Amino acid sequence: VVLVVGWREAKPCAMAIEAARTGDTQQMRPDARRPTLPEAIGGPRPTECAVAVKTMIIKVGGRPLQRDRALHWARGEGRGMMRGMEIKVASSDSDLKNL
């Protein structure tokens, strides 16, 4: 599954995916409307659960600074959150189609 997000949603989505994988919601911002994650089923609790998302594409506007910031985040902090998953950056609809 590929998740396409805007630059503003990239980090919160990565945090939610990491929480789903590990069960640890401490890094997510407080939200009284978010339900508690259910426990993993099917035997002893694994250290990580599989998630459907394997690639995140960050769709940024046409401003080079925004693209540079997204690439910097994807190569650093984002890579740490999305271990084993790809993070790509698209600057235009044609970039998005070609990824």
Side-chain angles (χ1 to χ4, degrees):
V1 171
V2 176
L3 175 65
V4 179
V5 298
W7 171 228
R8 292 181 64 175
E9 292 82 23
K11 186 174 181 179
C13 287
M15 293 170 107
I17 292 167
E18 179 68 7
R21 287 172 54 166
T22 64
D24 180 9
T25 59
Q26 292 181 9
Q27 298 302 314
M28 295 178 68
R29 70 174 176 80
D31 187 341
R33 294 180 294 170
R34 181 181 57 244
T36 304
L37 283 176
E39 290 292 324
I41 57 172
R45 182 183 172 124
T47 55
E48 279 196 7
C49 296
V51 293
V53 176
K54 301 299 179 205
T55 302
M56 175 190 288
I57 299 175
I58 304 169
K59 175 70 168 62
V60 297
R63 298 192 328 239
L65 181 60
Q66 192 177 50
R67 184 177 188 279
D68 291 345
R69 285 181 178 164
L71 284 169
H72 180 75
W73 179 84
R75 292 177 182 148
E77 185 181 1
R79 180 176 287 172
M81 289 180 174
M82 303 282 289
R83 292 181 314 270
M85 298 182 193
E86 287 187 272
I87 303 176
K88 300 177 181 183
V89 177
S91 299
S92 65
D93 290 340
S94 61
D95 283 351
L96 193 57
K97 288 179 188 177
N98 294 326
L99 293 176

